[in-house]
Amino acid sequence: MDKKLILIVEDDARVGESLRLLLKKKGYATLLANGGKEALQHFRQKPVDLVITDLVMPKMDGIEVLEAIKGAKPETEVIVISAQGTIEKAVQAMKLGAFDFIEKPINPRAISWLVERALEKQTLVLQNRDLRSRLEEKFHFKNIIGRSKEMIKVFELIRHIAPYDSSVLIVGESGTGKELIANAIHYHSPRATMPIIKVSCASLSEGIIESELFGHEKGAFTGAILSRKGRFELAHNGTLFLDEVEDIPPATQIKLLRVLQEGEFERAGGNKTLRVNIRIIAASNRDLQEEVKRGLFREDLFYRLNVVTIKLPPLRERRDDIPFLVNFFIDKYNRKYSLKVKGISQRAMNLFTDYEWSGNVRELENTLESILVVNNPHVIDIAHLPPEIRDFGEKPEVIPIRIGTSLEDVEREVLMQTLKATKGNKRKAAQLLGINVRTIHRKIEEFGGDDVTS
Ligand SMILES: Nc1ncnc2c1ncn2[C@@H]1O[C@H](COP(=O)(O)OP(=O)(O)OP(=O)(O)O)[C@@H](O)[C@H]1O
Ligand SMILES: [Mg+2]
């Protein structure tokens, strides 16, 4: 490993030089500056790991050096040297983030020990940060699980577009995480401290959707006793999430288009034009372009919403994610219900991975929650899975029989195929057909001897 580089800032040349020699002997690389200005110059040009600075210096004192360094690169540790009568200043330095202080005259053992500890702490902090960001950013994105290359691409796209105000359209089947992604975009954007307001367009009837979106003035319609702010006003400076956007009625689509183009609208029954600053994220589980073609969704509105598209692949197209999701949800519901489910058997995990999750992540999550709550098993095994998952993939064998086949031939065919399936085991075949073995023997004879089984 490279030698750690320590910058010493000391206007007293004798003290500075002896400190430098000591640290050099201990195996560190050193730089010596005789004042704050020179120190900052070094700091800007070299990858300094640690700074040791005198507090009292003529032009720029140690506190200023500390502040400049912490401001530029907060992970740099700074040790300050205090002389008699400057303890107060040393304490102030600690408050500003100095690692520790040491008093003059400098004890070689004490300073060596301090330096070691400061560098150790720094390594830990950096390692930790590195690890955390690698895990969180790349795989978890806080609480969004996805290690498949499809999802990693989605995360990269989110990180890329989150800072801008452009509209985003999220498309994906039900339960693929559209709302989760909308939240992630908002919380990775500069609007994160402002609200994200959700509108479920499908659940609002045509009659009330406009007043929900744009608000209304007192007396705008029967029942409008008080004036009320709409979601657009509530989302001012934040994000408006239009869920199930394909369900916005045509008349409202026009008004929505106007807000997107001009940022302006009026409350229902009001004549004052209101202006808002909003980022729009829309979600749909239908192919909006198809809705446009069918004349159900305005094309101009579609283009306004669809500046950036995020396509969330269904779970069956990213099966790599399933084991991670399974463990994530076991963890989540263990915590939520104070349970101690240890995990899942490989056989059960295989069934989870093979299953066609038509309800996607939501269905997977609900299934696990239910297993944990209902069975509370030590380890999840096949017996705990709902039948449709347990039996999935076990395709029942079928016998194709043409219409018009005589009953006698049907009986013969069924018997023959069943014997084939049981590999000639007559007892088993009888069991499957619900008749006794003697009957089987008789029928075989009737149908022409043992050749039916060959
Ligand atoms: N990648 C993921 N990691 C962890 N949890 C997820 C992930 N994707 C979805 N979920 C969880 O699955 C559930 C459904 O997600 P969400 O509500 O975001 O889906 P949706 O696409 O909006 O569904 P719908 O179309 O039915 O509204 C939520 O509980 C969400 O937390
Ligand atoms: Mg949703």
Side-chain angles (χ1 to χ4, degrees):
M1 212 163 96
D2 282 347
K3 279 185 183 174
K4 293 283 183 186
L5 180 58
I6 302 177
L7 171 62
I8 302 159
V9 196
E10 173 63 78
D11 60 326
D12 183 338
R14 237 172 3 100
V15 178
E17 194 54 36
S18 66
L19 190 54
R20 199 176 75 79
L21 280 175
L22 171 76
L23 294 171
K24 212 175 135 196
K25 263 210 313 235
K26 293 274 169 195
Y28 300 110
T30 52
L31 280 170
L32 183 56
N34 65 13
K37 247 197 166 139
E38 197 191 335
L40 293 182
Q41 236 161 26
H42 280 311
F43 187 76
R44 271 192 291 268
Q45 287 161 3
K46 300 271 166 59
V48 171
D49 295 298
L50 175 72
V51 178
I52 303 176
T53 178
D54 195 2
L55 268 179
V56 186
M57 291 180 293
K59 287 204 185 97
M60 187 179 187
D61 71 10
I63 295 283
E64 288 171 273
V65 173
L66 169 73
E67 284 185 306
I69 282 172
K70 282 285 175 189
K73 232 172 105 192
E75 66 268 30
T76 315
E77 295 298 351
V78 179
I79 296 172
V80 297
I81 306 168
S82 70
Q84 249 188 351
T86 63
I87 287 290
E88 246 178 46
K89 246 193 169 149
V91 172
Q92 190 196 347
M94 295 290 288
K95 283 186 187 148
L96 291 169
F99 178 74
D100 211 336
F101 65 91
I102 187 161
E103 286 173 85
K104 276 183 188 169
I106 296 173
N107 174 324
R109 284 240 295 284
I111 188 74
S112 307
W113 182 71
L114 258 188
V115 165
E116 260 172 58
R117 268 180 43 222
L119 289 171
E120 232 171 59
K121 176 187 167 198
Q122 190 186 43
T123 311
L124 276 180
V125 167
L126 290 179
Q127 267 175 358
N128 209 315
R129 199 174 63 181
D130 192 26
L131 205 75
R132 226 184 24 227
S133 67
R134 280 217 314 268
L135 286 175
E136 251 179 39
E137 293 286 311
K138 192 153 186 188
F139 300 133
H140 287 245
F141 227 81
K142 294 246 165 66
N143 54 354
I144 311 178
I145 307 301
R147 300 200 184 188
S148 57
K149 57 180 190 315
E150 291 85 353
M151 286 304 284
I152 287 175
K153 260 195 224 148
V154 168
F155 297 156
E156 272 164 12
L157 184 58
I158 295 176
R159 206 172 296 125
H160 189 71
I161 55 111
Y164 306 106
D165 276 346
S166 42
S167 306
V168 182
L169 176 65
I170 307 171
V171 287
E173 287 177 17
S174 173
T176 44
K178 295 185 291 296
E179 187 163 349
L180 207 59
I181 296 295
N183 282 317
I185 296 171
H186 174 74
Y187 289 110
H188 278 82
S189 82
R191 296 173 182 264
T193 54
M194 300 306 282
I196 172 166
I197 303 285
K198 183 184 160 178
V199 187
S200 220
C201 304
S203 67
L204 298 169
S205 71
E206 212 158 313
I208 61 167
I209 188 163
E210 286 193 13
S211 108
E212 278 297 329
L213 286 174
F214 308 116
H216 61 249
E217 295 294 350
K218 191 170 147 184
F221 47 85
T222 12
I225 309 166
L226 300 167
S227 62
R228 186 165 168 238
K229 280 187 181 180
R231 310 274 171 105
F232 270 97
E233 275 176 83
L234 294 173
H236 183 47
N237 288 330
T239 303
L240 187 70
F241 176 44
L242 297 172
D243 203 4
E244 295 144 322
V245 71
E246 70 276 5
D247 281 322
I248 295 186
T252 315
Q253 289 182 22
I254 305 175
K255 295 194 180 156
L256 189 57
L257 182 68
R258 181 171 159 232
V259 193
L260 293 188
Q261 279 174 340
E262 293 150 40
E264 287 182 354
F265 63 94
E266 288 90 28
R267 288 184 183 170
N271 45 24
K272 205 169 96 205
T273 299
L274 303 170
R275 296 202 121 259
V276 283
N277 172 356
I278 272 173
R279 181 197 207 155
I280 304 265
I281 302 178
S284 173
N285 53 26
R286 261 184 266 161
D287 183 348
L288 264 196
Q289 199 138 29
E290 196 51 43
E291 303 286 294
V292 170
K293 272 190 209 143
R294 291 170 51 203
L296 296 173
F297 202 83
R298 291 183 68 100
E299 186 170 23
D300 41 13
L301 180 58
F302 170 70
Y303 285 117
R304 280 279 162 189
L305 293 174
N306 191 36
V307 177
V308 177
T309 319
I310 297 181
K311 281 211 173 78
L312 288 181
L315 213 43
R316 63 180 174 280
E317 283 172 20
R318 48 176 166 114
R319 292 184 198 270
D320 295 357
D321 284 342
I322 293 178
F324 297 104
L325 283 164
V326 167
N327 288 320
F328 174 76
F329 291 131
I330 292 177
D331 228 45
K332 176 173 171 180
Y333 291 103
N334 264 338
R335 250 180 286 127
K336 179 163 177 190
Y337 299 117
S338 303
L339 301 172
K340 290 201 178 71
V341 177
K342 285 275 175 301
I344 178 165
S345 74
Q346 191 55 49
R347 295 186 310 165
M349 184 67 104
N350 291 344
L351 288 176
F352 266 95
T353 328
D354 291 343
Y355 188 63
E356 293 283 319
W357 296 97
S358 51
N360 291 297
V361 186
R362 177 179 296 109
E363 189 189 1
L364 174 74
E365 177 170 5
N366 291 346
T367 304
L368 282 161
E369 179 176 9
S370 154
I371 293 173
L372 260 70
V373 173
V374 176
N375 303 90
N376 187 14
H378 183 64
V379 170
I380 299 174
D381 202 356
I382 290 180
H384 308 118
L385 309 188
E388 65 273 16
I389 297 177
R390 215 180 328 156
D391 302 337
F392 184 80
E394 283 192 6
K395 289 192 193 65
E397 287 190 58
V398 292
I399 307 170
I401 290 172
R402 211 182 292 277
I403 298 213
T405 313
S406 73
L407 275 182
E408 197 188 326
D409 284 350
V410 170
E411 204 180 33
R412 183 190 154 93
E413 186 63 16
V414 170
L415 181 67
M416 213 165 79
Q417 293 299 336
T418 309
L419 281 166
K420 218 181 203 170
T422 62
K423 300 198 169 66
N425 185 330
K426 294 175 184 123
R427 184 173 298 277
K428 228 179 183 172
Q431 228 169 36
L432 283 173
L433 294 169
I435 52 181
N436 62 42
V437 190
R438 256 179 301 121
T439 317
I440 286 254
H441 282 289
R442 189 167 46 82
K443 296 239 174 240
I444 289 173
E445 235 159 78
E446 236 172 74
F447 291 139
D450 262 353
D451 62 327
V452 289
T453 60
S454 59

